[in-house]
Amino acid sequence: MTGPSTHGTVSAIAWGAGLAVLTWGGLGLTGAHGVASPAPRAVAAVHDPTPPTGLHLEDGPNADGWYSAPTRYRWTAVDSGSGIDWCQDGFVVTVDTATPRTVYGTCVNGAGHAAAYAGFSYRYDGTPPKLDPVAEPAVVDQGGRVVVLPRATDALSGVTAQSCNGSHVVSTRRPGMHTVGCVAHDRAGNVATATVNYLVLDRRQRD
């Protein structure tokens, strides 16, 4: 048997629960199935009518317009108003070619304005030059003269520099077998090295 005090307690609990539901609902915090959800975040409007300036490329090709290794390039810019939100970037195509590839990109500021698109062209050469050095003559008397030639070739970007023995005259003062190092650079920045031997004969053994 339920008395008046029990009915009063039940009514108070029900009234309190109903008030709680109304309160959470009025605050917008009640989600589906009564699960509380966060209030929507206010986003402040950014007033910046000026696009970014100073757009330029980072990690671009070398001075001759070549890449020689896998590289990630990226545009950068400055924006004193709303700041830079994002900039485009990418990877070079690592396929040897003498035909220029052109890529465009930009940066966007916090207000959604983009700098005028800029482009750059590049070529790719990931193959080092070929060296076929030779010593002339390959056998020489002690005190004689030997000329070492690197004979470098590069079918794509071309050879920019080549030398043997640091471009110094090789020595024939000491009898025996001598080894000379040669190096070559191409326009893309690749480097190749090779060695060549020459023999110096003891003059006393020739007399």
Side-chain angles (χ1 to χ4, degrees), residues 15-193:
W15 182 85
L19 179 62
V21 170
L22 290 174
T23 302
W24 282 92
L27 292 175
L29 300 177
T30 302
H33 305 293
V35 178
S37 59
R41 184 180 61 180
V43 178
V46 178
H47 178 69
D48 180 8
T50 306
T53 59
L55 183 69
H56 68 281
L57 184 72
E58 288 185 344
D59 296 321
N62 67 13
D64 289 327
W66 290 90
Y67 284 107
S68 61
T71 306
R72 186 187 186 98
Y73 57 83
R74 180 177 181 269
W75 273 272
T76 63
V78 294
D79 192 282
S80 59
S82 56
I84 298 298
D85 187 23
W86 60 272
C87 292
Q88 289 180 309
D89 60 7
F91 291 93
V92 302
V93 179
T94 56
V95 177
D96 286 4
T97 179
T99 303
R101 294 185 175 92
T102 302
V103 181
Y104 295 91
T106 187
C107 289
V108 177
N109 66 14
H113 299 297
Y117 271 76
F120 75 100
S121 296
Y122 70 91
R123 293 173 287 182
Y124 191 88
D125 179 6
T127 305
K130 293 182 178 180
L131 276 165
D132 184 24
V134 61
E136 298 178 348
V139 180
V140 62
D141 289 339
Q142 186 177 4
R145 183 172 182 269
V146 175
V147 176
V148 182
L149 303 173
R151 300 196 303 180
T153 58
D154 190 278
L156 189 53
S157 60
V159 176
T160 57
Q162 56 179 311
S163 64
C164 291
N165 199 41
S167 297
H168 301 298
V169 176
V170 298
S171 174
T172 60
R173 290 178 296 178
R174 180 172 57 84
M177 186 67 72
H178 297 261
T179 301
V180 177
C182 301
V183 62
H185 302 256
D186 66 17
R187 292 178 61 200
N190 297 296
V191 181
T193 59

